[in-house]
Amino acid sequence: TSNTPEAPPAQETAGGGGANAEPGEKVVIGFSAPAADHGWMAAISAAAKAEADKYSDVELKAVEGTNDVNLQISQVETLINEKVDAIVLLPFDGAALTPVALKAMEAGITVINIDREFDSPFASRVTVRGDNYGMGISAGTYVCEELKGKADAVVAEIAGIDSLPLTQDRSQGFADALGQCGLKVNNRVAAEFTVESGERAAANLLQAAPRIDAIWNHDDDQGIGVNAAIKNSGRSEFFMVGGAGSANVMREIKAGDGLLKATVVYPSTQGADGIALARLLVQGKGLSDIVEVEVPRSIQLSAPVVTQDNVDKYLEAAFES
Amino acid sequence: MNPDDMNPDAVPLLSVHDVVKRFPGVVALGGVNFDVRAGEVHCLLGQNGAGKSTLIKVLAGAHRPDEGELRWQGETVAFNDPQAAISTGIGAIHQELDLVAGLSVAANVFLGHELSTAGFTRRTLARERTRELLDLLGHPDISPDREVGRLSAANQQVVSMARALSRDSRLLIMDEPSAVLDQDEVRTLFRVIRQLTTRGVAVVYISHRLEEIREIGDRVTVLKDGRTVATGLPVADVRTADLIELMTGRTIEYAFGPRTPPAPDAPAVLTVRGLAGAGRFSGVDLTVHAGEVVGLAGLVGSGRSEVLETVYGARKASAGTVEVDGRRLRRGSVGAAVRAGIGLCPEERKSQGLLLDQAVYRNITVSSLSAFARLGFLDEGAERARATELVEALDVRPTGVGRAVRTLSGGNQQKVVLARWLLRDCRVLLLDEPTRGVDVGARSEIYQLVRQLADRGVAVVVVSSDVEEVLGLADRVLVLREGRVVHEGPARELDEHRVLDLVMEGTAA
Amino acid sequence: MSENTATASPTGRAAGTGIAPRRASALLGSAAGRNTGLVLALVLLCLAGVVTAGDRFADVSNVLTILRLASVIGVVSVGMTFVVTGGGIDLSVGAIVALSSVWATTLATQAMARDTHWLVMVFAALAVGAGCGLVNGTLVAYGRVVAFIATLAMLAAARGLAEIISNRKTQIVDVPGFTAFWDTSPLGVPMLVLVFAVVALAGWVVLNRTTFGRRTYAVGSNPEAARLAGIDVRRHTVLLYTLLGICCGIAAVMIIARTTTGSATHGGLYELDAIAAVVIGGTLLSGGRGTIAGTVFGVLIFTTLSNVFTLNNLSISAQAVAKGAIIVLAVLLQQRLARRSGG
Amino acid sequence: MSENTATASPTGRAAGTGIAPRRASALLGSAAGRNTGLVLALVLLCLAGVVTAGDRFADVSNVLTILRLASVIGVVSVGMTFVVTGGGIDLSVGAIVALSSVWATTLATQAMARDTHWLVMVFAALAVGAGCGLVNGTLVAYGRVVAFIATLAMLAAARGLAEIISNRKTQIVDVPGFTAFWDTSPLGVPMLVLVFAVVALAGWVVLNRTTFGRRTYAVGSNPEAARLAGIDVRRHTVLLYTLLGICCGIAAVMIIARTTTGSATHGGLYELDAIAAVVIGGTLLSGGRGTIAGTVFGVLIFTTLSNVFTLNNLSISAQAVAKGAIIVLAVLLQQRLARRSGG
Ligand SMILES: Nc1ncnc2c1ncn2[C@@H]1O[C@H](COP(=O)(O)OP(=O)(O)OP(=O)(O)O)[C@@H](O)[C@H]1O
Ligand SMILES: Nc1ncnc2c1ncn2[C@@H]1O[C@H](COP(=O)(O)OP(=O)(O)OP(=O)(O)O)[C@@H](O)[C@H]1O
Ligand SMILES: [Mg+2]
Ligand SMILES: [Mg+2]
C-alpha cells in the first residue's frame, strides 16, 4: 500500500533529532499485526511502514495480518528463522503469542510488544501499551462531567468486537468511571470495528433506548456507521463520545456542529513507535530526549480526551480511516 | 405399417455410418451402421451393454461420436449438444428417466421448450396441452400439477413419453419405454406409436421383450459388443431364435422349465401377519416356506413394492408382524431384517439400489462387509475376488469390478444389485421387478438363479409386472389390488387371463 | 406431500372433474404448509418481542428499523436463492459487495457522479458486481472449478482488490443527489426497504413465472436431464452467478446509502448470513428446490432475532447461545408442521 | 478412471491370473493420478518458494514451521474429510475448538490437572469436542435438521458458551507437565507435527481399510441405497460428526499447547479453511468421494502459500488477490491432469 497520508511528524520525537537520526548499522525488523480489517488497525500497519521508510538503515518485513493466532505464531516463527534483528509484534491475543515471543527472545531477537500485552516479562524487551482500561476511564470521566447532576441519565455504549479482551478492558474502565459518579451503562451493544456493523448495532440500540443522554462508541471507524444510523433516526437528544481518534472525528469535533463532542485517543502511532524503538535498541542507542541511558522497558501511551478545546493538538497525529 | 409399402430406395431419414464411441477403457460403439426410414418402427436389439443406449445418446446429441458420420435426409450432420438434435427433429426418451423430480408434470413436459410469452411461462396453456398428451397416452389420471418425483416409475415413464410427443419430432427414439409398464399400458403405447408412424414419423424402439418387437416393429437392427451384426432385417421374416442367436451368439431356451414345488412340510421361513402400511395397503398375510417362490401380481400402483419394503423394514408398518424363522423382527428396522437374513432388490435400482459412483465390488459387498472384515479391517483382496466370481457368474459386462457402477449399462447394473444379495446367503429374498431392463440371456440366467436359490432352501418373493414371469417363476401367487390381497393360490392353477381379470376387477367398473 | 392427499385417490384414478378445485386448495395448502413453520417462528419471535419490550418493539419506527436492517442482506439472499436453487453456492458475495462499494465510491467515480449524475455510482456498483459474478459463473460452468473453491478464490481476490483500491480507507460519499435520493421515504417506506421489496418481488416472479426460473429449478435438480432437454446448462449457470453478482451490486449501493461510505470491510460474513437465510427458508443446498418467500422469512427471522435481543439488552455471548438454540427450534418446528401438513 | 484402463479388456473378460498385479499398479496409478495436480501445485509452490526466498525457504526449520502451522487445521480437516465424504458438512468446527480449548483450561480443570495428571485437560477437550459432535450428529441424523443449519446453530452456541465460560478472557495454562510434554520433539519432529501425522495416518487407514470407512463412502454416495443395503445410516452419521468433534478436541489441545492459552477466539474461520482444504483435495461436497491424502495436500498447499508470501514480504492485499488466482490455477491444473490420466 502506498502511504501518502499522515506519516506522523509528531512522532519524530520518539527517535529524537540529533544523533539518533543518523544512519547506523543496518537493521532488519519484522512486523506482525492482526488483520487490517478496520481503520485503526490499518493505520497501525501503515504508520509502521511509513516509519520504516524514513530510515535508510531499516529494512521492514511486514507479514500478512491475521486474526488466527496459529497463523500469527507461524509468521513469527518464520521471522525467527529468517534471523531478523528485531520483531515488532502486535499480537491478536497477547497471551497466546507469548510462547513464540519467548522463543524469539531466546533466539537473541529483540521483541517489541505493541498494544496487547504478553503475559511474561521475558517475552519482550519493550512494551508499548495503549491503555484500554484507561480509555474507558477517560470516556467515563468525560461523560460523568458532562452529565453532572443528572442522576437518572441514560448512558449507552457501543463496544467493539466483544470477544476481544481489549474490549472487555475498555468496558470495564467505562463502567468503573461511571460508577464513580453514580451512573451506569443502561444499554450496551457490540459491533465489529467496521462501519457497517456500527450502523447495524446503533440502529438497534436507538430502538432499544427511547431516550439516551450519552453514548460512548469504542471505535471511530465504526463510528461512521453509528453516525449514519443516528442521522437516519433523526434523534439528537444526546451527545456522543468516540474512541481511537480518527482524523475525521477530530475534524467533526473541531467543527462542533454534531452530536460528537469528544473522542478518546487510542494512539495509532504505536506501530511507528515500535519500529523506532526497535531500531534504537538494535543499534544500541537510547532515547535521546530522556536522561536514561537505555530505552525503558515499558512505555504506556496515555488515553487523552480530545474535545473542541484541544483538538488542534491532536489533529495532526490522527489517522485517516 | 408394412415396410414393403415404402420405397426402399428413398433417402433414409437418418443414417448412421461406422459410428465409434469410446469411453475410458471401453469401446461402447465399435462401428455401427443402420438407417431409419420415415414412417417405420425400427427396433434395436442387443444384450445388456451392447451399446444401444450409447447409440441413442449419440443420435440425440448427448454424446459426441469419436468416429463415423450421421446423415439426416442424406446430409451430413453433427450434433454438438442435445439442442442441435432436438431442433433437427430428433426426440428421445432415454432409458434412465430424464425427468426433473422437483418440477410438475407440465413443467417437465415442456422443459427446454417452455410455452411462453416474453419469457413468462404460460402455465394454463401448458397444463391443458399436457392433459391432452396424457389423455392420448391413456393417463387422464396423472395431474399436470403433480410433482414428478412423487409419481410411480410407470407414471414417470408416461410423462417422459408425453414430453417426447410434445415436440413435433420427425424421429422418435425410445429406449426401453416398456420396461416399467404393464401390459395394458404397453398396448396404449403401441397405439400411439402406430398413430405417429402413419403420420410419417420414424420410431426407433428398444426393448428386451422380443414379443413386443414382433408386434410393433417393421425392421430390426441387432447390436453385439458395440457393432451391428445385422441391420435392416424385416421383422416378419426372422425367427425369434435367430434374433437371440444374433444377439448372444448362442441359443437360449427361453421358457420356464417344469419345476417341482417344495416339499409340503417345508418349514415356514417368512411369516407376515396382518401387515398394513398407513393408507396404502392393509391386512396382508403372507407365509413363504423354505424353497418356495411366491409371486406378487398386481397393477402398477397396487402397492406391491410397498408391501415388500414394509416387510423389509424400510417403511414403518402401521400394523402387523413380520417373522423370520419364527423370530419376530423389530418394526421399521432394515438392520434387523438384514441380520435376520432378508435381502431386498429394490424397484428403483438407481435411487434405491446402487452407489453409482462406487466401484462394482463395493456395491456388491456393501451388505456383507463384516464377512470380509477382521476387527473392522477389510480384506479388499477377498472382496474383489468374491465380487469377481459373482460378476462372472452373472455375466456382468464389462467384468472389471473396479469400475464405477455408473458406467455400466442398465441391465448390468441390475445384476450388480442381485449379486449383492447372492453374496449374503439370504434366508429370504425379496425381488422387486428383478428383470427390469435385463436382456434375454441374462433373464433366463436370473430365472435359473432364483430357482437354484429356492432349491437351496431360500424363501423368495417376486414382484413383477410381467405376468408371464410371475406365473413361470412362482410356486404360489398373491394378487394385490388397491392394497389388498384379492387372491392367493398355486401358480399352476392360474393363467395370464385369469390373473389379468383378478388384477383389473373393480377398476374396470 | 399434501398434494398427494388431495389428488391421489386410492384407485390412482381421480375423476376428471373436481380435480381443479381440489388442486387449487392443495396448492394453497402446500405453499402455506411449506412456510407455516417459518411464519410461526417469526410470529413467536414477534410475540417474544412484544412481551419483553412492549411498545419499543411494536413501534412503526422499530419495524422500519428491522426492515431496513434486513434489506441489504435480503437483496443478496434473494440472489443467493437463485444460485443455490440452481445447484451452486457463492461464498464471495460479501467480498463482491465490498469491492462494488469501494469501486462506486472512489474519488474518480464520485467526481464523475458529481459532474454528471449520481446514477454513475449505481452503474459502477452494478457493473463490478455483474463482472465478478460473470467470472464466478465462467469458472464454475466452463472451467468446471467446484463452486465452493471458485467463489472462495473470488472472496480472497475481491476483498484484496477492494483493499488495494481503497487503500484500506473508508471512502466517504459526498454526492448530494445520491444521499438525497436514498434519504427519501415514498409513502413512508424508506427507500432501502422499497428496493428490497422490489427485488424480492422481481425475484419471485422470475423464479416462479418465467422460463428462466423454471430452467433454474431444472438445472439445480437434475443438470443432466436439463441438458438432455436442450437447455444450455453452462450458459444458464453463468447467468445465475451474474444475476447474484448484480444483486451484490445493488446491495453495495444500498450499503453505501445506509452508511454513506464505501469500504473494503463492508459485507463481512454476508456469505454465511445469506446462505443461512436461504437454507432456513427451505431452499435445498443440493439444488432443485427453493422459494423466495422462504428466503425473505429467513432474513426477517434473523434480523428480528437480533433486534429483540438488543431491545432486551442481552449480552452478546448469551445472544449467540440463544440464537443457536432458536435456529434449531425454528427448523424443528418447521419440520414437524411440514410433516403434519403432508399427512 | 485410470483403473478402467488397466483392468477392463475390450472383451470384458480379464484373464483370471494377472489381475492382481495389474490391479495393484492401477491402484497406484489412480492414487497418483487423482492427486498429481495437487502434488504438482505443491511442487510448483515450493519451487516458487526456493526461487524467491532461496535457502530461507528450503530450510529444515522453515519446513517445520510450515508443518507446525499445518497441523492444527490439518487435524480438523482430516475429521472434516469424513463428514464431507459421508455427505455432511460442519460449520461449527472452529467454535468447537474454541469451546474445547476454554473448557480444558478453566481454573477448575487446570487445578485438577495439576493435582492428578495433565491428561485431564486432554480428556476434557476431547470430551467436549465429542459432545458437541454428538449433538451435531443427532440433530442432523435424528432431528433431520439440514447439516448447514444445525452446525451453524452449533457455531453460534458453542462460541457464545466459550465466551461465557471464559468470561472473554484468555485463559493461560500453567500445568508444567502439559507444556513440557508438548515442547518435546521426538526424533527432531515437533510433537504437534507428530500428532498431525498420526491423525492423518489413522484417518487414512480408517477411511480406506475399515468397514467404517467403507460405510462412510456408501452413506455419502447414496444414503437411501445405503439404508436399504442394511447400513444404519443415522447412527453412522452421528458417529461421523462425533469423530469430527473428537478431532476438534485434539486440535484444541494442540492449539492450547501452541499458545499456552485457551480462548473463545481460537479457531476463528476454521470451518472455511478446513472445508476449503478438503474440497481442494478432491473430496466432493455432495458426498461419496474423498481422500485423506488429498486433504493433507490441500492443507499443505494453503499453509505453504502463506509461508511463501510471508517470506517474500508481499503486501497483504496483494497476497489476497494472488491467493485467489493461485487457488483457481491449482484447481484447473488438477483438473486438466485428472482428465488426461482419466482419458
Ligand atoms: N459414461 C460411461 N462411461 C464409461 N462407460 C460407459 C459409459 N456409458 C456406457 N458405458 C459402457 O458402454 C457400453 C454400452 O452401454 P449401453 O448403456 O449403451 O448398453 P445398452 O445396450 O444400452 O445396455 P442395456 O440393455 O443394459 O441398457 C457398456 O459396456 C457400458 O459399460
Ligand atoms: N412416498 C410416497 N409418496 C407419495 N406417493 C407414493 C409414495 N410411495 C408410493 N406412492 C404411490 O403409491 C402407489 C403404490 O406404489 P407401489 O410402488 O407400492 O406400487 P406397485 O404396485 O409396486 O407399482 P409399481 O409397479 O409402479 O412399483 C403408487 O401410485 C405410488 O406413486
Ligand atoms: Mg441401455
Ligand atoms: Mg413397484
Side-chain angles (χ1 to χ4, degrees), chain B residues 421-440:
Chain B
W421 297 112
L422 294 185
L423 180 61
R424 241 193 98 84
D425 284 332
C426 292
R427 298 282 298 129
V428 180
L429 202 53
L430 312 172
L431 305 174
D432 200 348
E433 310 277 6
T435 60
R436 172 180 290 182
V438 170
D439 67 39
V440 187

PDB file of all heavy atoms in Angstrom, chain B residues 421-440:
ATOM      1  N   TRP B 421     -27.011 -59.598  -2.975  1.00  0.00           N
ATOM      2  CA  TRP B 421     -27.744 -60.471  -2.059  1.00  0.00           C
ATOM      3  C   TRP B 421     -27.360 -61.924  -2.243  1.00  0.00           C
ATOM      4  O   TRP B 421     -27.464 -62.729  -1.327  1.00  0.00           O
ATOM      5  CB  TRP B 421     -29.240 -60.250  -2.205  1.00  0.00           C
ATOM      6  CG  TRP B 421     -29.600 -58.853  -1.833  1.00  0.00           C
ATOM      7  CD1 TRP B 421     -30.045 -57.871  -2.653  1.00  0.00           C
ATOM      8  CD2 TRP B 421     -29.469 -58.245  -0.538  1.00  0.00           C
ATOM      9  NE1 TRP B 421     -30.210 -56.700  -1.966  1.00  0.00           N
ATOM     10  CE2 TRP B 421     -29.865 -56.901  -0.658  1.00  0.00           C
ATOM     11  CE3 TRP B 421     -29.050 -58.708   0.713  1.00  0.00           C
ATOM     12  CZ2 TRP B 421     -29.861 -56.009   0.401  1.00  0.00           C
ATOM     13  CZ3 TRP B 421     -29.050 -57.830   1.780  1.00  0.00           C
ATOM     14  CH2 TRP B 421     -29.449 -56.494   1.613  1.00  0.00           C
ATOM     15  N   LEU B 422     -26.895 -62.251  -3.443  1.00  0.00           N
ATOM     16  CA  LEU B 422     -26.405 -63.611  -3.639  1.00  0.00           C
ATOM     17  C   LEU B 422     -25.208 -63.845  -2.724  1.00  0.00           C
ATOM     18  O   LEU B 422     -25.001 -64.924  -2.188  1.00  0.00           O
ATOM     19  CB  LEU B 422     -25.985 -63.821  -5.092  1.00  0.00           C
ATOM     20  CG  LEU B 422     -27.123 -63.748  -6.092  1.00  0.00           C
ATOM     21  CD1 LEU B 422     -26.623 -64.079  -7.484  1.00  0.00           C
ATOM     22  CD2 LEU B 422     -28.225 -64.701  -5.679  1.00  0.00           C
ATOM     23  N   LEU B 423     -24.414 -62.800  -2.551  1.00  0.00           N
ATOM     24  CA  LEU B 423     -23.218 -62.909  -1.728  1.00  0.00           C
ATOM     25  C   LEU B 423     -23.576 -63.200  -0.279  1.00  0.00           C
ATOM     26  O   LEU B 423     -22.810 -63.806   0.449  1.00  0.00           O
ATOM     27  CB  LEU B 423     -22.444 -61.592  -1.841  1.00  0.00           C
ATOM     28  CG  LEU B 423     -21.152 -61.466  -1.055  1.00  0.00           C
ATOM     29  CD1 LEU B 423     -20.170 -62.521  -1.521  1.00  0.00           C
ATOM     30  CD2 LEU B 423     -20.561 -60.091  -1.275  1.00  0.00           C
ATOM     31  N   ARG B 424     -24.727 -62.777   0.120  1.00  0.00           N
ATOM     32  CA  ARG B 424     -25.037 -62.820   1.556  1.00  0.00           C
ATOM     33  C   ARG B 424     -25.669 -64.121   2.032  1.00  0.00           C
ATOM     34  O   ARG B 424     -25.883 -64.300   3.214  1.00  0.00           O
ATOM     35  CB  ARG B 424     -25.981 -61.674   1.910  1.00  0.00           C
ATOM     36  CG  ARG B 424     -25.401 -60.721   2.898  1.00  0.00           C
ATOM     37  CD  ARG B 424     -26.462 -59.811   3.450  1.00  0.00           C
ATOM     38  NE  ARG B 424     -26.939 -60.278   4.722  1.00  0.00           N
ATOM     39  CZ  ARG B 424     -26.358 -60.031   5.874  1.00  0.00           C
ATOM     40  NH1 ARG B 424     -25.267 -59.322   5.914  1.00  0.00           N
ATOM     41  NH2 ARG B 424     -26.848 -60.502   6.998  1.00  0.00           N
ATOM     42  N   ASP B 425     -25.996 -64.995   1.122  1.00  0.00           N
ATOM     43  CA  ASP B 425     -26.678 -66.223   1.523  1.00  0.00           C
ATOM     44  C   ASP B 425     -27.913 -65.910   2.369  1.00  0.00           C
ATOM     45  O   ASP B 425     -27.998 -66.282   3.533  1.00  0.00           O
ATOM     46  CB  ASP B 425     -25.741 -67.133   2.330  1.00  0.00           C
ATOM     47  CG  ASP B 425     -24.765 -67.824   1.407  1.00  0.00           C
ATOM     48  OD1 ASP B 425     -25.133 -68.030   0.233  1.00  0.00           O
ATOM     49  OD2 ASP B 425     -23.653 -68.130   1.852  1.00  0.00           O
ATOM     50  N   CYS B 426     -28.863 -65.240   1.738  1.00  0.00           N
ATOM     51  CA  CYS B 426     -30.045 -64.812   2.496  1.00  0.00           C
ATOM     52  C   CYS B 426     -30.960 -65.977   2.827  1.00  0.00           C
ATOM     53  O   CYS B 426     -30.963 -66.992   2.138  1.00  0.00           O
ATOM     54  CB  CYS B 426     -30.841 -63.815   1.662  1.00  0.00           C
ATOM     55  SG  CYS B 426     -29.970 -62.299   1.445  1.00  0.00           S
ATOM     56  N   ARG B 427     -31.743 -65.830   3.851  1.00  0.00           N
ATOM     57  CA  ARG B 427     -32.822 -66.781   4.145  1.00  0.00           C
ATOM     58  C   ARG B 427     -34.045 -66.403   3.319  1.00  0.00           C
ATOM     59  O   ARG B 427     -34.805 -67.254   2.892  1.00  0.00           O
ATOM     60  CB  ARG B 427     -33.192 -66.718   5.635  1.00  0.00           C
ATOM     61  CG  ARG B 427     -32.094 -67.079   6.579  1.00  0.00           C
ATOM     62  CD  ARG B 427     -31.889 -68.589   6.680  1.00  0.00           C
ATOM     63  NE  ARG B 427     -33.066 -69.286   7.199  1.00  0.00           N
ATOM     64  CZ  ARG B 427     -33.611 -70.347   6.593  1.00  0.00           C
ATOM     65  NH1 ARG B 427     -33.092 -70.785   5.474  1.00  0.00           N
ATOM     66  NH2 ARG B 427     -34.668 -70.936   7.119  1.00  0.00           N
ATOM     67  N   VAL B 428     -34.248 -65.117   3.178  1.00  0.00           N
ATOM     68  CA  VAL B 428     -35.412 -64.615   2.449  1.00  0.00           C
ATOM     69  C   VAL B 428     -34.929 -63.594   1.427  1.00  0.00           C
ATOM     70  O   VAL B 428     -34.160 -62.699   1.754  1.00  0.00           O
ATOM     71  CB  VAL B 428     -36.412 -63.913   3.397  1.00  0.00           C
ATOM     72  CG1 VAL B 428     -37.606 -63.409   2.617  1.00  0.00           C
ATOM     73  CG2 VAL B 428     -36.836 -64.834   4.523  1.00  0.00           C
ATOM     74  N   LEU B 429     -35.397 -63.739   0.208  1.00  0.00           N
ATOM     75  CA  LEU B 429     -35.005 -62.779  -0.816  1.00  0.00           C
ATOM     76  C   LEU B 429     -36.255 -62.132  -1.393  1.00  0.00           C
ATOM     77  O   LEU B 429     -37.163 -62.827  -1.846  1.00  0.00           O
ATOM     78  CB  LEU B 429     -34.227 -63.510  -1.920  1.00  0.00           C
ATOM     79  CG  LEU B 429     -33.315 -62.672  -2.789  1.00  0.00           C
ATOM     80  CD1 LEU B 429     -32.366 -61.853  -1.943  1.00  0.00           C
ATOM     81  CD2 LEU B 429     -32.542 -63.570  -3.728  1.00  0.00           C
ATOM     82  N   LEU B 430     -36.306 -60.787  -1.328  1.00  0.00           N
ATOM     83  CA  LEU B 430     -37.442 -60.055  -1.878  1.00  0.00           C
ATOM     84  C   LEU B 430     -36.976 -59.406  -3.174  1.00  0.00           C
ATOM     85  O   LEU B 430     -36.066 -58.581  -3.157  1.00  0.00           O
ATOM     86  CB  LEU B 430     -37.911 -58.991  -0.888  1.00  0.00           C
ATOM     87  CG  LEU B 430     -38.103 -59.454   0.563  1.00  0.00           C
ATOM     88  CD1 LEU B 430     -38.387 -58.253   1.467  1.00  0.00           C
ATOM     89  CD2 LEU B 430     -39.226 -60.461   0.655  1.00  0.00           C
ATOM     90  N   LEU B 431     -37.593 -59.783  -4.269  1.00  0.00           N
ATOM     91  CA  LEU B 431     -37.158 -59.258  -5.557  1.00  0.00           C
ATOM     92  C   LEU B 431     -38.258 -58.389  -6.157  1.00  0.00           C
ATOM     93  O   LEU B 431     -39.349 -58.876  -6.438  1.00  0.00           O
ATOM     94  CB  LEU B 431     -36.846 -60.409  -6.522  1.00  0.00           C
ATOM     95  CG  LEU B 431     -35.834 -61.443  -6.026  1.00  0.00           C
ATOM     96  CD1 LEU B 431     -35.725 -62.593  -7.017  1.00  0.00           C
ATOM     97  CD2 LEU B 431     -34.482 -60.790  -5.820  1.00  0.00           C
ATOM     98  N   ASP B 432     -37.968 -57.105  -6.323  1.00  0.00           N
ATOM     99  CA  ASP B 432     -38.942 -56.184  -6.902  1.00  0.00           C
ATOM    100  C   ASP B 432     -38.549 -55.921  -8.346  1.00  0.00           C
ATOM    101  O   ASP B 432     -37.548 -55.258  -8.606  1.00  0.00           O
ATOM    102  CB  ASP B 432     -38.967 -54.881  -6.084  1.00  0.00           C
ATOM    103  CG  ASP B 432     -40.253 -54.114  -6.308  1.00  0.00           C
ATOM    104  OD1 ASP B 432     -40.988 -54.467  -7.251  1.00  0.00           O
ATOM    105  OD2 ASP B 432     -40.509 -53.164  -5.542  1.00  0.00           O
ATOM    106  N   GLU B 433     -39.299 -56.427  -9.250  1.00  0.00           N
ATOM    107  CA  GLU B 433     -39.006 -56.284 -10.687  1.00  0.00           C
ATOM    108  C   GLU B 433     -37.554 -56.652 -10.976  1.00  0.00           C
ATOM    109  O   GLU B 433     -36.776 -55.820 -11.437  1.00  0.00           O
ATOM    110  CB  GLU B 433     -39.258 -54.838 -11.144  1.00  0.00           C
ATOM    111  CG  GLU B 433     -40.609 -54.267 -10.737  1.00  0.00           C
ATOM    112  CD  GLU B 433     -41.712 -54.686 -11.691  1.00  0.00           C
ATOM    113  OE1 GLU B 433     -41.462 -55.503 -12.586  1.00  0.00           O
ATOM    114  OE2 GLU B 433     -42.850 -54.193 -11.506  1.00  0.00           O
ATOM    115  N   PRO B 434     -37.181 -57.903 -10.734  1.00  0.00           N
ATOM    116  CA  PRO B 434     -35.762 -58.259 -10.838  1.00  0.00           C
ATOM    117  C   PRO B 434     -35.240 -58.285 -12.261  1.00  0.00           C
ATOM    118  O   PRO B 434     -34.037 -58.203 -12.467  1.00  0.00           O
ATOM    119  CB  PRO B 434     -35.713 -59.671 -10.233  1.00  0.00           C
ATOM    120  CG  PRO B 434     -37.066 -60.221 -10.450  1.00  0.00           C
ATOM    121  CD  PRO B 434     -38.009 -59.056 -10.356  1.00  0.00           C
ATOM    122  N   THR B 435     -36.114 -58.388 -13.248  1.00  0.00           N
ATOM    123  CA  THR B 435     -35.593 -58.483 -14.616  1.00  0.00           C
ATOM    124  C   THR B 435     -35.858 -57.219 -15.428  1.00  0.00           C
ATOM    125  O   THR B 435     -35.769 -57.242 -16.644  1.00  0.00           O
ATOM    126  CB  THR B 435     -36.223 -59.677 -15.357  1.00  0.00           C
ATOM    127  OG1 THR B 435     -37.633 -59.477 -15.394  1.00  0.00           O
ATOM    128  CG2 THR B 435     -35.900 -60.971 -14.658  1.00  0.00           C
ATOM    129  N   ARG B 436     -36.182 -56.149 -14.714  1.00  0.00           N
ATOM    130  CA  ARG B 436     -36.428 -54.914 -15.446  1.00  0.00           C
ATOM    131  C   ARG B 436     -35.151 -54.504 -16.199  1.00  0.00           C
ATOM    132  O   ARG B 436     -34.101 -54.295 -15.614  1.00  0.00           O
ATOM    133  CB  ARG B 436     -36.822 -53.809 -14.480  1.00  0.00           C
ATOM    134  CG  ARG B 436     -36.904 -52.463 -15.151  1.00  0.00           C
ATOM    135  CD  ARG B 436     -37.295 -51.402 -14.181  1.00  0.00           C
ATOM    136  NE  ARG B 436     -38.692 -51.558 -13.774  1.00  0.00           N
ATOM    137  CZ  ARG B 436     -39.296 -50.731 -12.947  1.00  0.00           C
ATOM    138  NH1 ARG B 436     -38.627 -49.721 -12.435  1.00  0.00           N
ATOM    139  NH2 ARG B 436     -40.551 -50.907 -12.629  1.00  0.00           N
ATOM    140  N   GLY B 437     -35.288 -54.377 -17.501  1.00  0.00           N
ATOM    141  CA  GLY B 437     -34.152 -53.928 -18.300  1.00  0.00           C
ATOM    142  C   GLY B 437     -33.077 -54.981 -18.495  1.00  0.00           C
ATOM    143  O   GLY B 437     -31.981 -54.658 -18.928  1.00  0.00           O
ATOM    144  N   VAL B 438     -33.386 -56.229 -18.159  1.00  0.00           N
ATOM    145  CA  VAL B 438     -32.372 -57.264 -18.302  1.00  0.00           C
ATOM    146  C   VAL B 438     -32.590 -57.994 -19.616  1.00  0.00           C
ATOM    147  O   VAL B 438     -33.721 -58.260 -20.016  1.00  0.00           O
ATOM    148  CB  VAL B 438     -32.469 -58.247 -17.113  1.00  0.00           C
ATOM    149  CG1 VAL B 438     -31.606 -59.462 -17.336  1.00  0.00           C
ATOM    150  CG2 VAL B 438     -32.074 -57.521 -15.846  1.00  0.00           C
ATOM    151  N   ASP B 439     -31.502 -58.334 -20.304  1.00  0.00           N
ATOM    152  CA  ASP B 439     -31.665 -58.918 -21.640  1.00  0.00           C
ATOM    153  C   ASP B 439     -32.071 -60.392 -21.567  1.00  0.00           C
ATOM    154  O   ASP B 439     -32.080 -60.998 -20.498  1.00  0.00           O
ATOM    155  CB  ASP B 439     -30.406 -58.719 -22.476  1.00  0.00           C
ATOM    156  CG  ASP B 439     -29.232 -59.510 -21.938  1.00  0.00           C
ATOM    157  OD1 ASP B 439     -29.422 -60.653 -21.494  1.00  0.00           O
ATOM    158  OD2 ASP B 439     -28.112 -58.980 -21.977  1.00  0.00           O
ATOM    159  N   VAL B 440     -32.428 -60.907 -22.708  1.00  0.00           N
ATOM    160  CA  VAL B 440     -32.980 -62.260 -22.788  1.00  0.00           C
ATOM    161  C   VAL B 440     -32.076 -63.284 -22.118  1.00  0.00           C
ATOM    162  O   VAL B 440     -32.507 -64.091 -21.301  1.00  0.00           O
ATOM    163  CB  VAL B 440     -33.149 -62.662 -24.273  1.00  0.00           C
ATOM    164  CG1 VAL B 440     -33.873 -63.975 -24.363  1.00  0.00           C
ATOM    165  CG2 VAL B 440     -33.843 -61.578 -25.017  1.00  0.00           C
TER     166      VAL B 440
END
